[in-house]
Amino acid sequence: MSVRLGGNILVTGSNRGIGLELVKQLLDNTGQEDHIYACCREPEGAGAEVRLSTPPQVTIVQLDTSDEDSVTAAVQVVGERVTASGLNLLINNAAINKPASPALLSATSKADMMEVFETNVAGPFLLAKFHLLFCFCGQMSCRRSAIINMSTLVSSIEKCPQNFHIVQMYPYRTSKAALNMLTRCLAEDFRKHSILVTGVHPGWVITDMGGKEAPMTPQQSVLGMLSMMSSLSDKDSGKLVDWMGNQIPW
Ligand SMILES: NC(=O)c1ccc[n+]([C@@H]2O[C@H](COP(=O)([O-])OP(=O)(O)OC[C@H]3O[C@@H](n4cnc5c(N)ncnc54)[C@H](OP(=O)(O)O)[C@@H]3O)[C@@H](O)[C@H]2O)c1
């Protein structure tokens, strides 16, 4: 399946890991008329590889998804740039996992819980709210009008008995389950605006978060996800799917 994405695309957490690979592959698969807003918490930081070679189709935007002022400022920058053509695709990719795995109950504080929820749930919530202001409304697809919320297999309540013994990760699991509900609510709410909202599990991927033992590279995961995202339509809105398009139960 080929990648058919384009227009104005915003990716959060694009300085490393899956977010960086999303920007790289989107660049390879989009044209001169398309534009990618590569959002990073610290564009000048040591890890911000995305800034090293910035072609004209990419604008780097400072965005800390846990900071409402930062979200507002980023939205203003992007809103002024996209003007009438609107934002086509928002990829809520940035996330944290605290404390370090396996994040047992005894090792987890309230502060961990709040910090993870601010980044993994409140950030995507705010960006979705703003997406409505600047989106291109017209046709439910990732090429025209969509929000992709990066979720995970371990968010699945039904699958919890199968994987809880491997990693507990209370804040991460519960935040991503909340993100799934956000996906479901937005899908209902935004249907009238023809905005597709889908949760995606990228697979277990070699990144700082996924670790070195993961079976898949970011390249493989993103190749699958972009191809899968190209084929999403209204019937996929409000669902959780993996990088190959297989549906995951809530
Ligand atoms: N890797 C896996 O196996 C796996 C599996 C399932 C789901 N996922 C999901 O896939 C997405 C990407 O994960 P990854 O593996 O690429 O993780 P990663 O390597 O840890 O990268 C996380 C990215 O999120 C950014 N970020 C964190 N907090 C932020 C904030 N407050 N504001 C803005 N950016 C922030 C980080 O930026 P900084 O450099 O500034 O920290 C970094 O760019 C996440 O949503 C994750 O939950 C990953």
Side-chain angles (χ1 to χ4, degrees), residues 149-164 166-167 169 172-173 176-177 180 199-204 240-243 246-250:
N149 287 330
M150 208 62 81
S151 189
T152 166
L153 183 70
V154 301
S155 68
S156 169
I157 293 170
E158 192 174 315
K159 297 251 176 215
C160 186
Q162 294 162 33
N163 52 38
F164 184 73
I166 305 168
V167 274
M169 303 193 298
Y172 184 71
R173 273 180 192 271
K176 292 290 187 173
N180 290 347
V200 172
H201 165 54
W204 184 19
L240 173 63
V241 295
D242 72 11
W243 74 104
N246 301 310
Q247 194 176 345
I248 297 172
W250 297 123

Side-chain angles (χ1 to χ4, degrees), residues 13-19 41 63-66 93-96 119 150-152 172 176 201-205 207-210:
S14 67
N15 55 310
R16 59 187 168 98
I18 292 169
R41 181 159 44 177
L63 171 60
D64 180 339
T65 62
S66 67
N93 166 76
I96 54 171
T119 303
M150 208 62 81
S151 189
T152 166
Y172 184 71
K176 292 290 187 173
H201 165 54
W204 184 19
V205 184
T207 62
D208 293 334
M209 186 185 286

Side-chain angles (χ1 to χ4, degrees), residues 26-40:
L26 280 168
L27 254 178
D28 291 343
N29 287 285
T30 52
Q32 300 286 344
E33 69 285 6
D34 302 313
H35 204 88
I36 300 162
Y37 295 90
C39 299
C40 321

